[in-house]
Amino acid sequence: MPARRMKICSRSISDILSVWHNPFRTPTVYFTNTPNVGDRLNEFILPLVSGRKILKVHGNAVSHLRAIGSVVGSAGPRSRIWGSGSIDGAIPKRPIKAKNVFAVRGPLTRGVLEAATGQRLEGIPMGDPALLMPKYYPTGADKRFAVGIVPHFSDEEEMRNMVNMLGSKDVIIINVRQNPTSFVDLIVQCDLILSSSLHGLILADAYQIPNTRILGRKKLLGGNFKFDDYYATTFGPQTPPLIAQDIASFREAVRCAPANCRVHDFRGDLKHLLDQFPEEYRSW
């Protein structure tokens, strides 16, 4: 048996056994290869929404939940989709059941899943579940920084170097490789947020911190797709990203931040999103 197939088989057996031994937890698929606040939000929000702890599983061998993150592309017939998104607009290779689509991140993902299921998905809520964070973690703090820079983990080293070169105590780097509460605590201490991370932008909007997207040198997988998907659920046009590919453009981005940052208000209904949480995974 090829090594890759053996690995998949081993993970499937592991998932089946884990679910068998933890029948009251919610099997959940999310990325953990690289620590990232967007993925770790599943660990914080889902138990509070459902009243049940989650159980990290690796794939489609068991019925499972897919919530926060761009995890639609690898979904299958046993996936329950609640608020997740597509990363690049590609149609999933495995069959997906329309009855298992409870909510999506935005209309672009809905279009992907309509193509995948062959059915219209009108009426399902749209919205990233990260927008629920203030409901479960209300927080506030005195402003300490003018600008918070939230790099995608692929941009972090380069942007950290540029912040150091800038030499301003009013500009800080907010690392996405930390737990959601400490991340949010830093977000709310900033007047403005510049982020190349999607969930840096979503959480800034959720906590009403003006923000805009910043582009470093690294090209993200899927390009603009997940950003366009999210912004299509907000009022007003998406502001063009600021460019930060060297110290000169980074300095200019920080200078122009006040004129380019705003809160992108959600146009959907968070109560509808909550109400659509899959019944089989709730304790309420």
PDB file of all heavy atoms in Angstrom, residues 181-219:
ATOM      1  N   THR A 181      -8.366  34.818  22.796  1.00  0.00           N
ATOM      2  CA  THR A 181      -8.645  35.882  23.761  1.00  0.00           C
ATOM      3  C   THR A 181      -7.485  36.863  23.880  1.00  0.00           C
ATOM      4  O   THR A 181      -7.695  38.081  23.938  1.00  0.00           O
ATOM      5  CB  THR A 181      -8.999  35.291  25.138  1.00  0.00           C
ATOM      6  OG1 THR A 181      -7.947  34.417  25.570  1.00  0.00           O
ATOM      7  CG2 THR A 181     -10.303  34.506  25.067  1.00  0.00           C
ATOM      8  N   SER A 182      -6.254  36.371  23.912  1.00  0.00           N
ATOM      9  CA  SER A 182      -5.113  37.285  23.984  1.00  0.00           C
ATOM     10  C   SER A 182      -4.981  38.079  22.688  1.00  0.00           C
ATOM     11  O   SER A 182      -4.584  39.252  22.698  1.00  0.00           O
ATOM     12  CB  SER A 182      -3.823  36.521  24.294  1.00  0.00           C
ATOM     13  OG  SER A 182      -3.520  35.584  23.286  1.00  0.00           O
ATOM     14  N   PHE A 183      -5.340  37.458  21.571  1.00  0.00           N
ATOM     15  CA  PHE A 183      -5.328  38.148  20.276  1.00  0.00           C
ATOM     16  C   PHE A 183      -6.321  39.304  20.288  1.00  0.00           C
ATOM     17  O   PHE A 183      -5.985  40.437  19.937  1.00  0.00           O
ATOM     18  CB  PHE A 183      -5.675  37.143  19.173  1.00  0.00           C
ATOM     19  CG  PHE A 183      -5.643  37.705  17.783  1.00  0.00           C
ATOM     20  CD1 PHE A 183      -4.470  37.743  17.065  1.00  0.00           C
ATOM     21  CD2 PHE A 183      -6.806  38.172  17.187  1.00  0.00           C
ATOM     22  CE1 PHE A 183      -4.439  38.252  15.765  1.00  0.00           C
ATOM     23  CE2 PHE A 183      -6.796  38.685  15.898  1.00  0.00           C
ATOM     24  CZ  PHE A 183      -5.597  38.727  15.197  1.00  0.00           C
ATOM     25  N   VAL A 184      -7.546  39.020  20.722  1.00  0.00           N
ATOM     26  CA  VAL A 184      -8.580  40.056  20.775  1.00  0.00           C
ATOM     27  C   VAL A 184      -8.191  41.163  21.753  1.00  0.00           C
ATOM     28  O   VAL A 184      -8.413  42.353  21.484  1.00  0.00           O
ATOM     29  CB  VAL A 184      -9.937  39.430  21.153  1.00  0.00           C
ATOM     30  CG1 VAL A 184     -10.934  40.507  21.579  1.00  0.00           C
ATOM     31  CG2 VAL A 184     -10.493  38.621  19.991  1.00  0.00           C
ATOM     32  N   ASP A 185      -7.597  40.795  22.875  1.00  0.00           N
ATOM     33  CA  ASP A 185      -7.187  41.805  23.848  1.00  0.00           C
ATOM     34  C   ASP A 185      -6.231  42.830  23.236  1.00  0.00           C
ATOM     35  O   ASP A 185      -6.266  44.019  23.600  1.00  0.00           O
ATOM     36  CB  ASP A 185      -6.522  41.143  25.058  1.00  0.00           C
ATOM     37  CG  ASP A 185      -7.518  40.424  25.961  1.00  0.00           C
ATOM     38  OD1 ASP A 185      -8.723  40.712  25.853  1.00  0.00           O
ATOM     39  OD2 ASP A 185      -7.081  39.565  26.752  1.00  0.00           O
ATOM     40  N   LEU A 186      -5.375  42.382  22.332  1.00  0.00           N
ATOM     41  CA  LEU A 186      -4.473  43.316  21.655  1.00  0.00           C
ATOM     42  C   LEU A 186      -5.193  44.107  20.562  1.00  0.00           C
ATOM     43  O   LEU A 186      -4.942  45.304  20.382  1.00  0.00           O
ATOM     44  CB  LEU A 186      -3.289  42.551  21.055  1.00  0.00           C
ATOM     45  CG  LEU A 186      -2.255  42.048  22.054  1.00  0.00           C
ATOM     46  CD1 LEU A 186      -1.246  41.128  21.379  1.00  0.00           C
ATOM     47  CD2 LEU A 186      -1.535  43.217  22.727  1.00  0.00           C
ATOM     48  N   ILE A 187      -6.091  43.453  19.839  1.00  0.00           N
ATOM     49  CA  ILE A 187      -6.855  44.142  18.788  1.00  0.00           C
ATOM     50  C   ILE A 187      -7.572  45.372  19.356  1.00  0.00           C
ATOM     51  O   ILE A 187      -7.522  46.470  18.784  1.00  0.00           O
ATOM     52  CB  ILE A 187      -7.888  43.180  18.155  1.00  0.00           C
ATOM     53  CG1 ILE A 187      -7.208  42.142  17.259  1.00  0.00           C
ATOM     54  CG2 ILE A 187      -8.959  43.965  17.378  1.00  0.00           C
ATOM     55  CD1 ILE A 187      -6.906  42.590  15.866  1.00  0.00           C
ATOM     56  N   VAL A 188      -8.238  45.183  20.499  1.00  0.00           N
ATOM     57  CA  VAL A 188      -9.069  46.273  21.019  1.00  0.00           C
ATOM     58  C   VAL A 188      -8.240  47.384  21.658  1.00  0.00           C
ATOM     59  O   VAL A 188      -8.781  48.452  21.970  1.00  0.00           O
ATOM     60  CB  VAL A 188     -10.119  45.743  22.018  1.00  0.00           C
ATOM     61  CG1 VAL A 188     -11.051  44.748  21.347  1.00  0.00           C
ATOM     62  CG2 VAL A 188      -9.476  45.137  23.257  1.00  0.00           C
ATOM     63  N   GLN A 189      -6.952  47.164  21.853  1.00  0.00           N
ATOM     64  CA  GLN A 189      -6.081  48.213  22.384  1.00  0.00           C
ATOM     65  C   GLN A 189      -5.541  49.133  21.281  1.00  0.00           C
ATOM     66  O   GLN A 189      -4.806  50.071  21.570  1.00  0.00           O
ATOM     67  CB  GLN A 189      -4.908  47.599  23.146  1.00  0.00           C
ATOM     68  CG  GLN A 189      -5.317  46.912  24.442  1.00  0.00           C
ATOM     69  CD  GLN A 189      -4.133  46.296  25.158  1.00  0.00           C
ATOM     70  OE1 GLN A 189      -3.125  46.944  25.395  1.00  0.00           O
ATOM     71  NE2 GLN A 189      -4.249  45.027  25.502  1.00  0.00           N
ATOM     72  N   CYS A 190      -5.915  48.835  20.031  1.00  0.00           N
ATOM     73  CA  CYS A 190      -5.409  49.616  18.896  1.00  0.00           C
ATOM     74  C   CYS A 190      -6.491  50.541  18.347  1.00  0.00           C
ATOM     75  O   CYS A 190      -7.677  50.194  18.317  1.00  0.00           O
ATOM     76  CB  CYS A 190      -4.938  48.677  17.778  1.00  0.00           C
ATOM     77  SG  CYS A 190      -3.586  47.593  18.267  1.00  0.00           S
ATOM     78  N   ASP A 191      -6.065  51.707  17.882  1.00  0.00           N
ATOM     79  CA  ASP A 191      -7.003  52.618  17.209  1.00  0.00           C
ATOM     80  C   ASP A 191      -7.390  52.077  15.843  1.00  0.00           C
ATOM     81  O   ASP A 191      -8.541  52.215  15.417  1.00  0.00           O
ATOM     82  CB  ASP A 191      -6.364  54.005  17.038  1.00  0.00           C
ATOM     83  CG  ASP A 191      -6.151  54.723  18.356  1.00  0.00           C
ATOM     84  OD1 ASP A 191      -7.012  54.590  19.249  1.00  0.00           O
ATOM     85  OD2 ASP A 191      -5.114  55.400  18.495  1.00  0.00           O
ATOM     86  N   LEU A 192      -6.416  51.480  15.145  1.00  0.00           N
ATOM     87  CA  LEU A 192      -6.625  50.990  13.781  1.00  0.00           C
ATOM     88  C   LEU A 192      -5.927  49.644  13.627  1.00  0.00           C
ATOM     89  O   LEU A 192      -4.924  49.379  14.293  1.00  0.00           O
ATOM     90  CB  LEU A 192      -6.041  51.961  12.751  1.00  0.00           C
ATOM     91  CG  LEU A 192      -6.486  53.431  12.805  1.00  0.00           C
ATOM     92  CD1 LEU A 192      -5.619  54.261  11.869  1.00  0.00           C
ATOM     93  CD2 LEU A 192      -7.962  53.557  12.437  1.00  0.00           C
ATOM     94  N   ILE A 193      -6.442  48.826  12.701  1.00  0.00           N
ATOM     95  CA  ILE A 193      -5.830  47.536  12.401  1.00  0.00           C
ATOM     96  C   ILE A 193      -5.543  47.441  10.901  1.00  0.00           C
ATOM     97  O   ILE A 193      -6.417  47.718  10.063  1.00  0.00           O
ATOM     98  CB  ILE A 193      -6.761  46.373  12.810  1.00  0.00           C
ATOM     99  CG1 ILE A 193      -6.917  46.314  14.326  1.00  0.00           C
ATOM    100  CG2 ILE A 193      -6.242  45.035  12.269  1.00  0.00           C
ATOM    101  CD1 ILE A 193      -5.662  45.964  15.089  1.00  0.00           C
ATOM    102  N   LEU A 194      -4.297  47.074  10.570  1.00  0.00           N
ATOM    103  CA  LEU A 194      -3.918  46.726   9.200  1.00  0.00           C
ATOM    104  C   LEU A 194      -3.590  45.240   9.201  1.00  0.00           C
ATOM    105  O   LEU A 194      -2.722  44.798   9.962  1.00  0.00           O
ATOM    106  CB  LEU A 194      -2.698  47.527   8.735  1.00  0.00           C
ATOM    107  CG  LEU A 194      -2.789  49.054   8.802  1.00  0.00           C
ATOM    108  CD1 LEU A 194      -1.501  49.673   8.253  1.00  0.00           C
ATOM    109  CD2 LEU A 194      -3.990  49.570   8.043  1.00  0.00           C
ATOM    110  N   SER A 195      -4.272  44.462   8.374  1.00  0.00           N
ATOM    111  CA  SER A 195      -4.134  43.009   8.469  1.00  0.00           C
ATOM    112  C   SER A 195      -4.051  42.356   7.094  1.00  0.00           C
ATOM    113  O   SER A 195      -4.816  42.691   6.188  1.00  0.00           O
ATOM    114  CB  SER A 195      -5.324  42.427   9.236  1.00  0.00           C
ATOM    115  OG  SER A 195      -5.240  41.024   9.306  1.00  0.00           O
ATOM    116  N   SER A 196      -3.124  41.395   6.971  1.00  0.00           N
ATOM    117  CA  SER A 196      -3.111  40.528   5.786  1.00  0.00           C
ATOM    118  C   SER A 196      -3.748  39.187   6.123  1.00  0.00           C
ATOM    119  O   SER A 196      -3.839  38.306   5.276  1.00  0.00           O
ATOM    120  CB  SER A 196      -1.683  40.327   5.265  1.00  0.00           C
ATOM    121  OG  SER A 196      -0.840  39.769   6.261  1.00  0.00           O
ATOM    122  N   SER A 197      -4.196  39.042   7.368  1.00  0.00           N
ATOM    123  CA  SER A 197      -4.908  37.852   7.831  1.00  0.00           C
ATOM    124  C   SER A 197      -6.409  38.125   7.787  1.00  0.00           C
ATOM    125  O   SER A 197      -6.873  39.145   8.307  1.00  0.00           O
ATOM    126  CB  SER A 197      -4.490  37.513   9.262  1.00  0.00           C
ATOM    127  OG  SER A 197      -5.436  36.685   9.904  1.00  0.00           O
ATOM    128  N   LEU A 198      -7.182  37.219   7.202  1.00  0.00           N
ATOM    129  CA  LEU A 198      -8.633  37.426   7.113  1.00  0.00           C
ATOM    130  C   LEU A 198      -9.258  37.587   8.488  1.00  0.00           C
ATOM    131  O   LEU A 198     -10.064  38.497   8.709  1.00  0.00           O
ATOM    132  CB  LEU A 198      -9.291  36.251   6.375  1.00  0.00           C
ATOM    133  CG  LEU A 198     -10.819  36.306   6.307  1.00  0.00           C
ATOM    134  CD1 LEU A 198     -11.283  37.540   5.543  1.00  0.00           C
ATOM    135  CD2 LEU A 198     -11.391  35.037   5.686  1.00  0.00           C
ATOM    136  N   HIS A 199      -8.887  36.742   9.442  1.00  0.00           N
ATOM    137  CA  HIS A 199      -9.555  36.823  10.734  1.00  0.00           C
ATOM    138  C   HIS A 199      -9.062  37.990  11.580  1.00  0.00           C
ATOM    139  O   HIS A 199      -9.737  38.378  12.538  1.00  0.00           O
ATOM    140  CB  HIS A 199      -9.476  35.481  11.459  1.00  0.00           C
ATOM    141  CG  HIS A 199     -10.492  34.515  10.926  1.00  0.00           C
ATOM    142  ND1 HIS A 199     -10.186  33.590   9.961  1.00  0.00           N
ATOM    143  CD2 HIS A 199     -11.818  34.392  11.176  1.00  0.00           C
ATOM    144  CE1 HIS A 199     -11.283  32.910   9.652  1.00  0.00           C
ATOM    145  NE2 HIS A 199     -12.279  33.386  10.363  1.00  0.00           N
ATOM    146  N   GLY A 200      -7.928  38.573  11.226  1.00  0.00           N
ATOM    147  CA  GLY A 200      -7.563  39.845  11.828  1.00  0.00           C
ATOM    148  C   GLY A 200      -8.564  40.915  11.448  1.00  0.00           C
ATOM    149  O   GLY A 200      -8.985  41.738  12.281  1.00  0.00           O
ATOM    150  N   LEU A 201      -9.000  40.911  10.189  1.00  0.00           N
ATOM    151  CA  LEU A 201      -9.979  41.880   9.703  1.00  0.00           C
ATOM    152  C   LEU A 201     -11.367  41.598  10.277  1.00  0.00           C
ATOM    153  O   LEU A 201     -12.076  42.511  10.709  1.00  0.00           O
ATOM    154  CB  LEU A 201     -10.031  41.844   8.173  1.00  0.00           C
ATOM    155  CG  LEU A 201      -8.723  42.192   7.457  1.00  0.00           C
ATOM    156  CD1 LEU A 201      -8.786  41.807   5.985  1.00  0.00           C
ATOM    157  CD2 LEU A 201      -8.414  43.676   7.611  1.00  0.00           C
ATOM    158  N   ILE A 202     -11.765  40.316  10.293  1.00  0.00           N
ATOM    159  CA  ILE A 202     -13.100  39.959  10.777  1.00  0.00           C
ATOM    160  C   ILE A 202     -13.239  40.304  12.264  1.00  0.00           C
ATOM    161  O   ILE A 202     -14.256  40.878  12.688  1.00  0.00           O
ATOM    162  CB  ILE A 202     -13.382  38.469  10.524  1.00  0.00           C
ATOM    163  CG1 ILE A 202     -13.493  38.202   9.018  1.00  0.00           C
ATOM    164  CG2 ILE A 202     -14.663  38.035  11.227  1.00  0.00           C
ATOM    165  CD1 ILE A 202     -13.654  36.733   8.660  1.00  0.00           C
ATOM    166  N   LEU A 203     -12.225  39.971  13.053  1.00  0.00           N
ATOM    167  CA  LEU A 203     -12.318  40.260  14.486  1.00  0.00           C
ATOM    168  C   LEU A 203     -12.259  41.762  14.760  1.00  0.00           C
ATOM    169  O   LEU A 203     -12.912  42.256  15.685  1.00  0.00           O
ATOM    170  CB  LEU A 203     -11.224  39.514  15.249  1.00  0.00           C
ATOM    171  CG  LEU A 203     -11.460  38.003  15.361  1.00  0.00           C
ATOM    172  CD1 LEU A 203     -10.232  37.310  15.925  1.00  0.00           C
ATOM    173  CD2 LEU A 203     -12.677  37.700  16.222  1.00  0.00           C
ATOM    174  N   ALA A 204     -11.491  42.498  13.965  1.00  0.00           N
ATOM    175  CA  ALA A 204     -11.497  43.957  14.113  1.00  0.00           C
ATOM    176  C   ALA A 204     -12.895  44.504  13.829  1.00  0.00           C
ATOM    177  O   ALA A 204     -13.414  45.344  14.581  1.00  0.00           O
ATOM    178  CB  ALA A 204     -10.469  44.589  13.181  1.00  0.00           C
ATOM    179  N   ASP A 205     -13.546  44.019  12.776  1.00  0.00           N
ATOM    180  CA  ASP A 205     -14.920  44.442  12.493  1.00  0.00           C
ATOM    181  C   ASP A 205     -15.854  44.054  13.635  1.00  0.00           C
ATOM    182  O   ASP A 205     -16.718  44.833  14.046  1.00  0.00           O
ATOM    183  CB  ASP A 205     -15.419  43.803  11.193  1.00  0.00           C
ATOM    184  CG  ASP A 205     -14.884  44.480   9.948  1.00  0.00           C
ATOM    185  OD1 ASP A 205     -14.477  45.655  10.027  1.00  0.00           O
ATOM    186  OD2 ASP A 205     -14.882  43.836   8.879  1.00  0.00           O
ATOM    187  N   ALA A 206     -15.709  42.829  14.144  1.00  0.00           N
ATOM    188  CA  ALA A 206     -16.596  42.345  15.203  1.00  0.00           C
ATOM    189  C   ALA A 206     -16.525  43.238  16.432  1.00  0.00           C
ATOM    190  O   ALA A 206     -17.542  43.464  17.102  1.00  0.00           O
ATOM    191  CB  ALA A 206     -16.236  40.907  15.559  1.00  0.00           C
ATOM    192  N   TYR A 207     -15.326  43.746  16.734  1.00  0.00           N
ATOM    193  CA  TYR A 207     -15.131  44.597  17.911  1.00  0.00           C
ATOM    194  C   TYR A 207     -15.122  46.082  17.561  1.00  0.00           C
ATOM    195  O   TYR A 207     -14.722  46.916  18.385  1.00  0.00           O
ATOM    196  CB  TYR A 207     -13.854  44.199  18.644  1.00  0.00           C
ATOM    197  CG  TYR A 207     -14.004  42.901  19.407  1.00  0.00           C
ATOM    198  CD1 TYR A 207     -13.686  41.690  18.812  1.00  0.00           C
ATOM    199  CD2 TYR A 207     -14.488  42.878  20.714  1.00  0.00           C
ATOM    200  CE1 TYR A 207     -13.844  40.479  19.497  1.00  0.00           C
ATOM    201  CE2 TYR A 207     -14.649  41.698  21.411  1.00  0.00           C
ATOM    202  CZ  TYR A 207     -14.327  40.498  20.796  1.00  0.00           C
ATOM    203  OH  TYR A 207     -14.481  39.305  21.479  1.00  0.00           O
ATOM    204  N   GLN A 208     -15.574  46.392  16.347  1.00  0.00           N
ATOM    205  CA  GLN A 208     -15.755  47.785  15.927  1.00  0.00           C
ATOM    206  C   GLN A 208     -14.452  48.584  15.938  1.00  0.00           C
ATOM    207  O   GLN A 208     -14.435  49.768  16.310  1.00  0.00           O
ATOM    208  CB  GLN A 208     -16.816  48.473  16.804  1.00  0.00           C
ATOM    209  CG  GLN A 208     -18.206  47.839  16.717  1.00  0.00           C
ATOM    210  CD  GLN A 208     -18.876  48.087  15.372  1.00  0.00           C
ATOM    211  OE1 GLN A 208     -19.217  49.218  15.051  1.00  0.00           O
ATOM    212  NE2 GLN A 208     -19.040  47.035  14.575  1.00  0.00           N
ATOM    213  N   ILE A 209     -13.359  47.946  15.519  1.00  0.00           N
ATOM    214  CA  ILE A 209     -12.078  48.635  15.373  1.00  0.00           C
ATOM    215  C   ILE A 209     -11.862  48.914  13.884  1.00  0.00           C
ATOM    216  O   ILE A 209     -11.821  47.971  13.081  1.00  0.00           O
ATOM    217  CB  ILE A 209     -10.902  47.788  15.917  1.00  0.00           C
ATOM    218  CG1 ILE A 209     -11.192  47.299  17.342  1.00  0.00           C
ATOM    219  CG2 ILE A 209      -9.613  48.598  15.864  1.00  0.00           C
ATOM    220  CD1 ILE A 209     -11.387  48.385  18.360  1.00  0.00           C
ATOM    221  N   PRO A 210     -11.724  50.170  13.461  1.00  0.00           N
ATOM    222  CA  PRO A 210     -11.508  50.461  12.042  1.00  0.00           C
ATOM    223  C   PRO A 210     -10.293  49.707  11.509  1.00  0.00           C
ATOM    224  O   PRO A 210      -9.260  49.593  12.193  1.00  0.00           O
ATOM    225  CB  PRO A 210     -11.279  51.978  12.019  1.00  0.00           C
ATOM    226  CG  PRO A 210     -11.983  52.469  13.244  1.00  0.00           C
ATOM    227  CD  PRO A 210     -11.794  51.396  14.274  1.00  0.00           C
ATOM    228  N   ASN A 211     -10.417  49.227  10.287  1.00  0.00           N
ATOM    229  CA  ASN A 211      -9.369  48.356   9.750  1.00  0.00           C
ATOM    230  C   ASN A 211      -9.369  48.376   8.232  1.00  0.00           C
ATOM    231  O   ASN A 211     -10.331  48.800   7.595  1.00  0.00           O
ATOM    232  CB  ASN A 211      -9.589  46.918  10.241  1.00  0.00           C
ATOM    233  CG  ASN A 211     -10.890  46.317   9.714  1.00  0.00           C
ATOM    234  OD1 ASN A 211     -10.932  45.731   8.633  1.00  0.00           O
ATOM    235  ND2 ASN A 211     -11.982  46.481  10.468  1.00  0.00           N
ATOM    236  N   THR A 212      -8.276  47.868   7.672  1.00  0.00           N
ATOM    237  CA  THR A 212      -8.215  47.621   6.238  1.00  0.00           C
ATOM    238  C   THR A 212      -7.178  46.538   5.978  1.00  0.00           C
ATOM    239  O   THR A 212      -6.334  46.234   6.835  1.00  0.00           O
ATOM    240  CB  THR A 212      -7.883  48.898   5.441  1.00  0.00           C
ATOM    241  OG1 THR A 212      -8.184  48.681   4.053  1.00  0.00           O
ATOM    242  CG2 THR A 212      -6.396  49.278   5.559  1.00  0.00           C
ATOM    243  N   ARG A 213      -7.260  45.983   4.801  1.00  0.00           N
ATOM    244  CA  ARG A 213      -6.340  44.915   4.422  1.00  0.00           C
ATOM    245  C   ARG A 213      -5.005  45.504   3.984  1.00  0.00           C
ATOM    246  O   ARG A 213      -4.940  46.582   3.395  1.00  0.00           O
ATOM    247  CB  ARG A 213      -6.952  44.106   3.280  1.00  0.00           C
ATOM    248  CG  ARG A 213      -6.173  42.862   2.911  1.00  0.00           C
ATOM    249  CD  ARG A 213      -6.871  42.125   1.783  1.00  0.00           C
ATOM    250  NE  ARG A 213      -6.047  41.044   1.263  1.00  0.00           N
ATOM    251  CZ  ARG A 213      -6.237  40.460   0.094  1.00  0.00           C
ATOM    252  NH1 ARG A 213      -7.243  40.848  -0.687  1.00  0.00           N
ATOM    253  NH2 ARG A 213      -5.435  39.492  -0.317  1.00  0.00           N
ATOM    254  N   ILE A 214      -3.933  44.796   4.310  1.00  0.00           N
ATOM    255  CA  ILE A 214      -2.594  45.181   3.880  1.00  0.00           C
ATOM    256  C   ILE A 214      -1.987  44.005   3.123  1.00  0.00           C
ATOM    257  O   ILE A 214      -2.221  42.842   3.467  1.00  0.00           O
ATOM    258  CB  ILE A 214      -1.731  45.591   5.102  1.00  0.00           C
ATOM    259  CG1 ILE A 214      -0.443  46.274   4.667  1.00  0.00           C
ATOM    260  CG2 ILE A 214      -1.467  44.429   6.029  1.00  0.00           C
ATOM    261  CD1 ILE A 214       0.311  46.926   5.822  1.00  0.00           C
ATOM    262  N   LEU A 215      -1.261  44.296   2.075  1.00  0.00           N
ATOM    263  CA  LEU A 215      -0.667  43.250   1.249  1.00  0.00           C
ATOM    264  C   LEU A 215       0.847  43.264   1.361  1.00  0.00           C
ATOM    265  O   LEU A 215       1.492  44.275   1.094  1.00  0.00           O
ATOM    266  CB  LEU A 215      -1.046  43.444  -0.234  1.00  0.00           C
ATOM    267  CG  LEU A 215      -2.488  43.193  -0.638  1.00  0.00           C
ATOM    268  CD1 LEU A 215      -2.650  43.446  -2.132  1.00  0.00           C
ATOM    269  CD2 LEU A 215      -2.915  41.784  -0.295  1.00  0.00           C
ATOM    270  N   GLY A 216       1.401  42.133   1.780  1.00  0.00           N
ATOM    271  CA  GLY A 216       2.848  41.964   1.770  1.00  0.00           C
ATOM    272  C   GLY A 216       3.306  41.328   0.458  1.00  0.00           C
ATOM    273  O   GLY A 216       2.550  41.273  -0.513  1.00  0.00           O
ATOM    274  N   ARG A 217       4.526  40.829   0.449  1.00  0.00           N
ATOM    275  CA  ARG A 217       5.063  40.236  -0.776  1.00  0.00           C
ATOM    276  C   ARG A 217       4.510  38.853  -1.069  1.00  0.00           C
ATOM    277  O   ARG A 217       4.396  38.436  -2.214  1.00  0.00           O
ATOM    278  CB  ARG A 217       6.592  40.139  -0.667  1.00  0.00           C
ATOM    279  CG  ARG A 217       7.304  41.470  -0.724  1.00  0.00           C
ATOM    280  CD  ARG A 217       8.808  41.254  -0.706  1.00  0.00           C
ATOM    281  NE  ARG A 217       9.535  42.507  -0.672  1.00  0.00           N
ATOM    282  CZ  ARG A 217      10.860  42.583  -0.627  1.00  0.00           C
ATOM    283  NH1 ARG A 217      11.584  41.478  -0.596  1.00  0.00           N
ATOM    284  NH2 ARG A 217      11.450  43.764  -0.590  1.00  0.00           N
ATOM    285  N   LYS A 218       4.172  38.114   0.003  1.00  0.00           N
ATOM    286  CA  LYS A 218       3.754  36.729  -0.171  1.00  0.00           C
ATOM    287  C   LYS A 218       2.347  36.662  -0.756  1.00  0.00           C
ATOM    288  O   LYS A 218       1.441  37.355  -0.304  1.00  0.00           O
ATOM    289  CB  LYS A 218       3.790  35.996   1.178  1.00  0.00           C
ATOM    290  CG  LYS A 218       5.179  35.941   1.807  1.00  0.00           C
ATOM    291  CD  LYS A 218       6.112  35.045   1.016  1.00  0.00           C
ATOM    292  CE  LYS A 218       7.507  35.009   1.622  1.00  0.00           C
ATOM    293  NZ  LYS A 218       7.558  34.379   2.944  1.00  0.00           N
ATOM    294  N   LYS A 219       2.176  35.813  -1.772  1.00  0.00           N
ATOM    295  CA  LYS A 219       0.854  35.587  -2.334  1.00  0.00           C
ATOM    296  C   LYS A 219       0.158  34.495  -1.530  1.00  0.00           C
ATOM    297  O   LYS A 219       0.698  33.409  -1.345  1.00  0.00           O
ATOM    298  CB  LYS A 219       0.962  35.183  -3.806  1.00  0.00           C
ATOM    299  CG  LYS A 219       1.457  36.302  -4.715  1.00  0.00           C
ATOM    300  CD  LYS A 219       1.441  35.886  -6.176  1.00  0.00           C
ATOM    301  CE  LYS A 219       1.892  37.032  -7.071  1.00  0.00           C
ATOM    302  NZ  LYS A 219       1.880  36.642  -8.515  1.00  0.00           N
TER     303      LYS A 219
END
